[in-house]
Amino acid sequence: MALISLDDLRAAQKRIAGVAVRTPLLPCPWAETEHRTLHLKPEMLQPTGAFKIRGAYNRLAALTPEERARGVVAQSSGNHAQAVAYAARALGIKAVIVMPDTSPAVKVENTRSFGAEVILVRMHERDDVPGELAAEHGYVWVPPYDDPWIIAGQGTVGLEIAEDATALDLDLRTVLVPVSGGGLISGTAAALKLTMPGVRVVGVEPELAGDAAESFRTGERAVWPFELTHRTIADGLRTNTLGLLPWEHVQAYVDDIITVTEAEIRSTVAVLARRGRLVAEPSGAVATAAYLHHADRLPQGRSVAAVVSGGNLDPALLSELLSQ
């Protein structure tokens, strides 16, 4: 499978301009140490509360008029769902979203609020039902990560990091990126390696859903049972394997993948709220958790950037995590 090119990334950047927010690199003096500094990429500032709007809009905006008329179907635990629904409404396209019945209520309701039809299914049915609906109704299937248009859209995160690090004259050595199905880290790593080849890209995922870390370690794409990946509080990172195209990008561009514990994720959500004044969902907090708790796995260097991928969490969960 062909890797995305710098031209693909630049085209996506132009296509999503004015729709996705160009989020800043925020300095975090509260996390500075003798050996390194931290900057955060706060993707919870996107209109749908997560980075997914980048890939979803890039994919839908590239549909032909005939494809737009057919409508789209997508599967997601929440953030891709909201992004596709939002992009579809903006472009006047019918959207049907298949979501696990264990998805956070706030993500289900947000998806419906953007005008999409939501179909709740059991977790193990999530990835099969969209294909059935596409075959029955002619919908265009918009996958959450295993798609070059999606990967290129998510890769605009990496382009912005590179541009801002250069503008700020940062000695950027490492970029930490959450890993689920692999769309975000694939596009971000490609963008960084094609524009700042000296930067190390490190993926981060929950220890309880560590299929990508195992894949990276063994060189073979691992598949975990859903009953294992579903244990983590990071609901957006419960995908049980990397996509085929993302796996090709990970092998080509990613330097390492590390895992963080549930306790580390929980405490980092609270730290980001209290010290960083940022509301991050557990999935969005894993990269920062790696910086705070696994500095020994990071190369020496003054500047580290971490992607905070989203902030769509139930207020009750935020309250619980802040009280711990």
Side-chain angles (χ1 to χ4, degrees):
M1 283 182 262
L3 302 180
I4 60 170
S5 68
L6 188 56
D7 286 343
D8 296 328
L9 292 158
R10 297 291 189 202
Q13 190 173 41
K14 292 179 180 177
R15 197 174 286 118
I16 70 171
V19 177
V21 174
R22 195 188 195 291
T23 55
L25 273 183
L26 294 178
C28 300
W30 50 269
E32 185 174 340
T33 71
E34 180 183 354
H35 300 291
R36 55 178 61 90
T37 61
L38 175 67
H39 284 72
L40 297 178
K41 181 76 168 163
E43 286 293 292
M44 76 284 289
L45 300 180
Q46 294 295 345
T48 57
F51 74 95
K52 291 282 191 176
I53 186 60
R54 297 172 180 270
Y57 193 86
N58 189 50
R59 182 67 189 95
L60 267 61
L63 294 175
T64 66
E66 183 273 334
E67 289 172 326
R68 294 189 185 197
R70 287 159 52 191
V72 298
V73 63
Q75 79 270 32
S76 169
S77 297
N79 287 335
H80 181 63
Q82 294 170 83
V84 171
Y86 182 90
R89 185 179 70 175
L91 293 166
I93 300 171
K94 173 183 172 63
V96 177
I97 311 296
V98 178
M99 302 182 71
D101 55 13
T102 54
S103 300
V106 65
K107 294 184 177 183
V108 175
E109 292 309 310
N110 286 348
T111 302
R112 288 185 172 132
S113 75
F114 294 132
E117 176 186 347
V118 174
I119 299 176
L120 297 176
V121 300
R122 289 174 294 180
M123 184 65 188
H124 70 272
E125 299 174 314
R126 185 193 70 170
D127 294 332
D128 296 325
V129 172
E132 297 168 2
L133 293 173
E136 181 179 355
H137 300 285
Y139 301 138
V140 176
W141 193 351
V142 182
Y145 46 83
D146 213 345
D147 178 277
W149 300 92
I150 297 291
I151 291 173
Q154 319 304 27
T156 59
V157 168
L159 288 182
E160 292 175 10
I161 290 173
E163 291 165 357
D164 288 352
T166 299
L168 295 169
D169 197 26
L170 293 180
D171 181 19
L172 186 61
R173 302 292 182 87
T174 306
V175 178
L176 301 168
V177 187
V179 183
S180 182
L184 176 60
I185 194 168
S186 295
T188 300
L192 288 165
K193 293 295 187 177
L194 293 172
T195 57
M196 300 182 74
V199 172
R200 286 177 56 85
V201 180
V202 177
V204 188
E205 65 180 346
E207 188 177 87
L208 295 184
D211 59 280
E214 179 183 326
S215 301
F216 190 85
R217 184 177 65 253
T218 64
E220 299 288 338
R221 180 171 160 268
V223 180
W224 283 28
F226 277 119
E227 53 265 29
L228 291 185
T229 62
H230 201 71
R231 297 171 298 167
T232 179
I233 192 175
D235 62 274
L237 305 182
R238 290 172 177 165
T239 302
N240 68 334
T241 187
L242 289 165
L244 294 173
L245 187 55
W247 175 230
E248 297 293 324
H249 284 77
V250 166
Q251 291 178 297
Y253 294 126
V254 174
D255 295 288
D256 197 6
I257 298 179
I258 63 180
T259 62
V260 292
T261 69
E262 296 299 290
E264 290 164 353
I265 296 169
R266 287 172 171 269
S267 68
T268 301
V269 172
V271 169
L272 285 170
R274 293 193 184 103
R275 303 299 304 279
R277 296 163 298 281
L278 296 172
V279 175
E281 62 188 279
S283 303
V286 296
T288 311
Y291 175 90
L292 295 176
H293 298 282
H294 295 275
D296 60 310
R297 293 289 302 273
L298 306 180
Q300 292 290 326
R302 289 298 298 166
S303 294
V304 175
V307 179
V308 185
S309 54
N312 292 312
L313 79 168
D314 190 286
L317 176 58
L318 177 60
S319 178
E320 173 191 332
L321 297 179
L322 285 173
S323 65
Q324 293 179 349

